[in-house]
Amino acid sequence: LAVLLIGYDVECMTPGSDTTKKFLDAALAVHSQHQAPCSLFVVGKTLEFNTDALKSAAESGIFDIQSHTYSHVLLKTVCQFDGHKTTVFRAGSPQRIKREVTLGLQVIRLVLGVEPIGLTTPFGYYRGLSDRPDLLRFLYKNGIRFVRSYARNEYDWQPVELNVQPFTYAPQGFPAMLEIPVHGWQDCLWRQEHGWSDAGGFEDYQVSLLEEAAEKDLVLSLAYHDWSAIREDPAMGIIDALLSRARELGVRIMSYSEYYNERMRVLNQSNSVV
Ligand SMILES: [Zn+2]
């Protein structure tokens, strides 16, 4: 059966901004209406600026809370070729990356009292962290059991095809660690390319991905952001349409940690049979 995973990067770091709060209100309304769980990948600094709003979000029972580092430092350098030009976004130093990850997790533990097991890496990378067993080891030691780090294609650009399905990092030595890639075009990149006013066009595109996943019984994993999800779509009509269509098609809607836990149960069962 096909699965729909929706994860929001909660990352607006402008002091005094009400963007994150507005997003949380809209997301709570639309996800509650469909009884559709989802995940929030929270930047530590954003949490420090929006403590009350994120506390009530965490208590709502609709959101699974995970990490998106402390201040959005890249774990790998991105060499993005968008068809016209190459842009390089540099990774943080090894020391900075370690601090970013541990501090990001610590703020969530302290403020929200939850233990994150998932991390969305800023920007996302081609092949995720497959080529960085050193980073995988560090994340694993810090309690991370799934990452959304495979969010770009071989040009470090978009889209990521649906045939890139979740996989474990067993070949790197971490069989209990799952990569859950991000599919298609991320909302901000598609909408930047096609124009923010074309919310309907982006909705059609998201629904077409969902229909493809339903037809092929695949996992569809989508990334949105607090600032982009409500931009020129304040009530989150795109998500509303997507969730309605998912229910019509009988696609299961899960949070990322639910998906991780289920996937590990199935893996453990099949191992014990062998
Ligand atoms: Zn981000």
Side-chain angles (χ1 to χ4, degrees), residues 6 8 30-31 34 224 229 233 236-244:
I6 297 181
Y8 299 94
V30 68
H31 281 272
H34 293 276
Y224 299 85
D233 185 23
M236 293 176 60
I238 295 169
I239 296 291
D240 187 24
L242 189 64
L243 294 174
S244 297

Side-chain angles (χ1 to χ4, degrees), residues 112-160:
L112 302 178
V114 297
E115 188 63 47
I117 59 161
L119 176 77
T120 292
T121 58
F123 280 56
Y125 323 110
Y126 174 51
R127 301 194 304 175
L129 298 176
S130 300
D131 56 346
R132 293 297 301 274
D134 57 323
L135 286 176
L136 291 169
R137 175 175 302 279
F138 172 73
L139 296 177
Y140 192 84
K141 269 169 55 188
N142 280 277
I144 297 299
R145 293 297 178 268
F146 68 86
V147 285
R148 285 202 312 172
S149 68
Y150 193 150
R152 288 173 181 260
N153 62 21
E154 65 271 38
Y155 300 102
D156 260 353
W157 188 231
Q158 313 274 278
V160 174

Side-chain angles (χ1 to χ4, degrees), residues 6-11 38-44 47 54 58 63-70 101 104-109 112 114-121 142-148 180 255-261:
I6 297 181
Y8 299 94
D9 294 355
V10 180
E11 61 182 30
C38 62
S39 299
L40 302 180
F41 294 89
V42 180
V43 162
L47 174 51
L54 275 157
F63 301 116
D64 162 46
I65 310 280
Q66 305 297 342
S67 179
H68 191 33
T69 72
Y70 179 68
V101 170
L105 297 171
Q106 202 181 339
V107 176
I108 292 176
R109 278 183 209 118
L112 302 178
V114 297
E115 188 63 47
I117 59 161
L119 176 77
T120 292
T121 58
N142 280 277
I144 297 299
R145 293 297 178 268
F146 68 86
V147 285
R148 285 202 312 172
I180 309 178
S255 73
Y256 281 82
S257 63
E258 284 172 339
Y259 178 76
Y260 170 80
N261 288 327

Side-chain angles (χ1 to χ4, degrees), residues 6 10 43 50 71 75 97 104 127-128 135 141 158 163 169 186 189 198 203 207 223 234 238 244 253 266:
I6 297 181
V10 180
V43 162
N50 295 276
S71 68
L75 273 63
I97 289 172
R127 301 194 304 175
L135 286 176
K141 269 169 55 188
Q158 313 274 278
N163 60 14
Y169 282 112
Q186 296 193 36
L189 295 172
D198 190 11
E203 182 182 306
V207 168
I238 295 169
S244 297
I253 304 170
V266 171

